Amino acid sequence: MKGAISELIAPGGKVRLFVDQPLGEGARVSLSVSQAHYLLHVMRARKGDRASLFNGRDGEWLATIAEATPRDCTLACERKTQEQTNDEDLWLVFAPIKKTPADYLAQKATELGVSVLQPVITRRTIVHRVNAERMRANAIEAAEQSGRLTVPEIRAAIDLELLLNDWPRERNLLFCDEAGAPPIIEALRGASKGPWAVVIGPEGGFDPDERSMVRALASTVPVSLGKRILRADTAALAALAVWQAQCGKR
Ligand code: SAM
């Protein structure tokens, strides 16, 4: 909406931008070329308009466009609008999938509050390459639109066995096992509040040895997501949504 100098409102709500720079009273923040393009040419913003900024550390700040040239835009922080809070300590461990579903997964897992996206290479993994930069761009956009104050960490892909050998004892592992397990709602009833990880296999599923390796960990909680075989990205979102409903911060 354009008119008098105002707080910028996008179709999905107020304009929020993630910036990897310190935020504080009067701090000046230079936007990236693509962010400047978005504000100036898509949102038709101009000097004096306001947008919200966050960096995952200093909370959310309302900031005013202090300088704008066709390619560059600098904002000055005016006041803090939200104190920094952290999302749940929740990892999503998933076998890499093709490009489009991977983008989709990064977006939706971010909306569903994951703190870490951990690609894992399993024996039946088909796609070995993970475009971490692309996943991060999708996660940042989803964090901006969903009102998060943090952006999940995207970790480098690791071999399943290596990940399990080094698995942190205190982290519960929600093992989505299509080969049979208690229903997820039952398994999460009265579940511990500590850190969790949702583990999803490749399109080809885990092989029997891998299944035994995961189930051998003391912190593993095997769950079923129902009688139908879900695609890996669907299974991940279903498990995250149920976990948030049952164990997420209120
Ligand atoms: N190839 C496997 C099969 O045909 O049996 C299906 C693998 S599925 C496409 C990919 C991953 O999603 C599985 O490894 C599992 O982690 C998860 N998944 C899919 N459906 C599930 C279900 N009903 N219960 C639990 N996990 C499920």
Side-chain angles (χ1 to χ4, degrees), residues 17-242:
L17 295 173
F18 173 76
V19 291
D20 210 359
Q21 296 166 58
L23 299 174
E25 190 96 29
R28 292 174 76 88
V29 175
S30 306
L31 297 184
S32 68
V33 172
S34 60
Q35 287 176 323
H37 175 81
Y38 170 68
L39 271 199
L40 301 174
H41 304 292
V42 179
M43 297 303 298
R44 300 190 179 290
R46 56 189 184 159
K47 200 170 169 182
D49 283 341
R50 297 189 185 99
S52 294
L53 303 177
F54 67 105
N55 62 5
R57 301 181 298 277
D58 304 324
E60 184 181 276
W61 285 77
L62 188 64
T64 303
I65 298 178
E67 284 167 49
T69 67
R71 282 176 56 79
D72 298 309
C73 190
T74 300
L75 290 91
C77 292
E78 220 178 85
R79 62 184 164 80
K80 186 183 260 191
T81 46
Q82 279 192 68
E83 289 298 331
Q84 184 62 40
T85 53
N86 285 322
D87 291 279
E88 289 79 0
D89 184 349
L90 175 65
W91 296 359
L92 176 61
V93 175
F94 64 100
I97 43 183
K98 297 200 182 75
K99 199 163 60 176
T100 313
D103 294 350
Y104 179 82
L105 188 64
Q107 284 167 17
K108 304 305 160 193
T110 301
E111 289 175 44
L112 286 162
V114 301
S115 53
V116 169
L117 284 159
Q118 173 67 75
V120 69
I121 307 299
T122 67
R123 294 183 193 158
R124 293 180 183 158
T125 295
I126 299 164
V127 180
H128 284 255
R129 218 181 84 64
V130 175
N131 187 331
E133 209 179 307
R134 201 188 157 96
M135 287 200 94
R136 182 164 165 77
N138 279 285
I140 287 173
E141 200 180 315
E144 290 171 342
Q145 284 163 8
S146 61
R148 274 184 73 149
L149 290 171
T150 58
V151 171
E153 182 193 341
I154 315 282
R155 293 197 178 157
I158 184 172
D159 186 74
L160 177 68
E161 208 161 335
L162 290 180
L163 182 73
L164 296 176
N165 289 347
D166 220 10
W167 191 263
R169 212 181 275 279
E170 73 288 356
R171 185 168 295 276
N172 303 293
L173 192 161
L174 194 73
F175 177 39
C176 296
D177 190 353
E178 74 279 9
I184 185 170
I185 287 279
E186 268 172 39
L188 284 177
R189 208 162 281 137
S192 89
K193 284 276 172 255
W196 280 82
V198 168
V199 177
I200 299 288
E203 291 308 338
F206 292 104
D207 86 1
D209 294 347
E210 289 172 330
R211 187 167 277 117
S212 319
M213 262 194 286
V214 178
R215 282 174 174 259
L217 284 183
S219 56
T220 292
V221 178
V223 298
S224 167
L225 299 170
K227 61 175 187 235
R228 281 172 289 280
I229 300 290
L230 309 175
R231 284 170 48 126
D233 49 343
T234 316
L237 305 185
L240 289 170
V242 175

